[in-house]
Amino acid sequence: MAKIEIINGTMSVPSNPTIPFIKGDGVGPEVTLATQKILDCAIAKAYSGERKIEWMEVPAGGSAFEKYGTYLPDETMEAFKEYHIGIKGPLMTPVGGGIRSLNVALRQGLDLYVCLRPVRWFKGVVSPVKHPENVDMVIFRENTEDIYAGIEWEQGTPEAQKFYAFLRDEMGVTKVRFPETSSFGVKPVSIEGSERLIRSAIQYALDHNRPSVTLVHKGNIMKFTEGGFKKWGYELAQREFPEALASGRLTIKDCICDAFLQNALLKPEEYSVIATLNLNGDYVSDMLAAQVGGIGIAPGANINYSTGNAIFEATHGIAPDIAGKDVVNPCSNLLSAVMLLEHIGWNEAGALVEAALEKSFSEGYATADLARFMPEGKPMKTSEFTEHIINIISAQA
Ligand code: NAD
């Protein structure tokens, strides 16, 4: 089996890399099948049969539990470490203790500190805004810190009372309005955690000829955590990328998150790469995805730019209501796979898929979730849509 190697930070990709994949639960197997068929076709076409992905299934989720008695077997985590790059369909949330979320377990286990979400509009896709074509942003959301670190205590528990007693007695905190009935959460934001995220965003902007990185934060209120993120971001840019700044090749700016959400609607063309903390990033990603009409087709990836490890994934859930009905839109998973191709430098194959989607959507051919809003929409089953995209790719010059 040919492996992608990462030596001293440089990725070496064989012509037939093995890529581990998790099929996923619910609609996962359907979107995975569609994605692999389309990718195989685009790669064969782009490189005249000289490159090919060797797909290697690894277990996770409900089917893994039935077979192995665990939702996330060790071999799956090992495979992602060993092969560096993987892709996953959506996974159910385990019930009954243990792992809270399989996605979080994978991100933490591999320290995938960037949640990367590119947001662009495809002609033909109906959007709630007048000029969705002006939205072209890439969001770098910090994935490991912030109020999402999972450090919290429920009101009324001895732990919450102990925590409040510490705040009051040791730290002199008198500002908790209803201390007896408050739950508490802790928001860790570190220099290293912020810097590695912002460094990745700046490097991405330079590599992709993007004009600016905007630090999105609430530092006006949370001065040391969100304010720290902003301050460390500007300092890092000055220290590590002075030439790009001095030459005007790159601009670093910042925006308070609530203002950013307004501006992103009113003047989205002013923003390119966004670097933000975990909670802000969660809101910003979904708002921007909806703005291009594409929450169901928004792609995503979780990446550690230091080790090179990355998992690409559909951003929607397992959609149990439509599973097995041949109606799911495979594009979120498919466009995540296009990100994977770009990540390993197979841009030509990714471009073929994007061009095929553009043609299909602009002619009204899409799965029902998108086609029903298009004026000339022609709803297709998942399997029909997959064949349609393959036919367009095959016919491209
Ligand atoms: P969901 O995304 O599964 O579904 C929300 C609605 O959107 C449903 O009506 C569904 O039919 C529709 N939908 C979602 N994806 C679609 C697609 N590709 N094409 C057409 N329609 C689509 O969200 P939910 O109902 O909140 O979550 C269901 C389950 O999925 C939960 O167990 C949750 O934990 C899990 N989940 C997993 C992930 C992940 O693995 N990344 C993400 C979110 C939710």
Side-chain angles (χ1 to χ4, degrees):
M1 281 185 180
K3 283 185 197 163
I4 292 177
E5 305 278 0
I6 298 174
I7 301 158
N8 295 332
T10 305
M11 192 185 302
S12 154
V13 182
S15 58
N16 58 337
T18 297
I19 304 275
F21 72 95
I22 294 170
K23 244 186 209 167
D25 296 313
V27 293
E30 294 164 79
V31 298
T32 297
L33 179 66
T35 298
Q36 293 183 353
K37 279 182 156 186
I38 293 170
L39 238 62
D40 288 348
C41 167
I43 293 166
K45 173 92 183 175
Y47 308 112
S48 310
E50 286 175 8
R51 291 183 187 175
K52 183 177 189 320
I53 288 178
E54 305 286 351
W55 300 106
M56 179 177 81
E57 185 173 357
V58 290
S63 55
F65 189 77
E66 277 170 25
K67 209 165 166 187
Y68 305 100
T70 166
Y71 288 104
L72 190 58
D74 291 344
E75 64 174 277
T76 296
M77 195 68 94
E78 289 311 311
F80 283 127
K81 282 184 189 155
E82 187 177 343
Y83 292 91
H84 297 295
I85 310 292
I87 183 162
K88 62 171 277 291
L91 291 170
M92 45 100 71
T93 302
V95 281
I99 300 173
R100 269 173 107 176
S101 153
L102 295 170
N103 298 313
V104 173
L106 282 166
R107 280 173 213 165
Q108 286 178 347
L110 298 166
D111 194 22
L112 305 175
Y113 60 83
V114 171
C115 176
L116 183 66
R117 293 276 194 97
V119 187
R120 57 156 291 196
W121 178 68
F122 283 92
K123 193 171 173 208
V125 174
V126 174
S127 152
V129 298
K130 283 187 187 147
H131 291 290
E133 69 279 9
N134 290 347
V135 182
D136 181 11
M137 296 186 214
V138 181
I139 304 156
F140 279 69
R141 165 187 168 193
E142 206 288 324
N143 231 353
T144 65
E145 300 197 311
D146 198 359
I147 200 75
Y148 275 28
I151 311 168
E152 55 174 14
W153 298 284
E154 191 177 2
Q155 69 80 26
T157 61
E159 290 80 7
Q161 284 161 7
K162 193 170 176 184
F163 185 70
Y164 175 63
F166 170 76
L167 289 181
R168 185 191 56 212
D169 301 339
E170 306 284 326
M171 306 299 287
V173 173
T174 54
K175 290 187 209 163
V176 182
R177 181 67 186 83
F178 299 109
E180 299 308 321
T181 55
S182 289
S183 294
F184 294 95
V186 176
K187 180 181 172 80
V189 178
S190 70
I191 296 179
E192 296 93 318
S194 302
E195 283 187 349
R196 65 182 185 170
L197 182 278
I198 295 163
R199 181 182 297 114
S200 304
I202 294 177
Q203 194 57 56
Y204 180 98
L206 293 173
D207 291 345
H208 293 81
N209 290 321
R210 285 181 168 264
S212 66
V213 174
T214 304
L215 308 169
V216 172
H217 62 90
K218 282 289 292 176
N220 54 329
I221 306 292
M222 293 170 272
K223 296 188 190 303
F224 301 128
T225 50
E226 306 245 345
F229 179 87
K230 167 185 143 186
K231 174 172 166 284
W232 302 322
Y234 277 115
E235 287 171 357
L236 171 114
Q238 283 296 346
R239 193 171 65 242
E240 296 188 13
F241 301 93
E243 282 155 26
L245 295 182
S247 66
R249 197 172 145 212
L250 182 71
T251 304
I252 306 288
K253 49 190 177 174
D254 75 278
C255 191
I256 291 175
C257 192
D258 41 330
F260 176 76
L261 290 170
Q262 284 189 55
N263 293 347
L265 270 174
L266 300 173
K267 40 185 181 177
E269 61 282 358
E270 290 191 3
Y271 299 103
S272 182
V273 175
I274 308 302
T276 191
L277 301 101
N278 209 336
L279 176 62
N280 298 336
D282 201 356
Y283 299 151
V284 164
S285 303
D286 278 13
M287 199 276 288
L288 284 172
Q291 209 168 312
V292 292
I295 207 151
I297 63 169
N302 296 295
I303 304 179
N304 180 322
Y305 282 93
S306 315
T307 61
N309 289 339
I311 299 184
F312 297 80
E313 65 175 359
T315 56
H316 56 78
I318 67 173
D321 50 331
I322 56 168
K325 295 186 177 160
D326 199 19
V327 296
V328 64
N329 184 346
C331 289
S332 176
N333 199 263
L334 178 60
L335 286 166
S336 303
V338 169
M339 290 171 70
L340 184 157
L341 292 175
E342 287 165 2
H343 191 72
I344 63 172
W346 292 14
N347 296 7
E348 300 81 2
L352 283 178
V353 177
E354 285 201 325
L357 289 179
E358 257 162 34
K359 179 168 164 55
S360 183
F361 294 150
S362 64
E363 292 171 355
Y365 291 102
T367 44
D369 56 303
L370 293 183
R372 67 190 154 150
F373 298 116
M374 296 170 169
E376 304 281 318
K378 302 157 189 90
M380 297 177 120
K381 297 258 181 208
T382 313
S383 51
E384 290 169 345
F385 180 72
T386 304
E387 289 311 316
H388 183 65
I389 297 298
I390 287 174
N391 289 338
I392 297 174
I393 292 173
S394 304
Q396 284 181 42

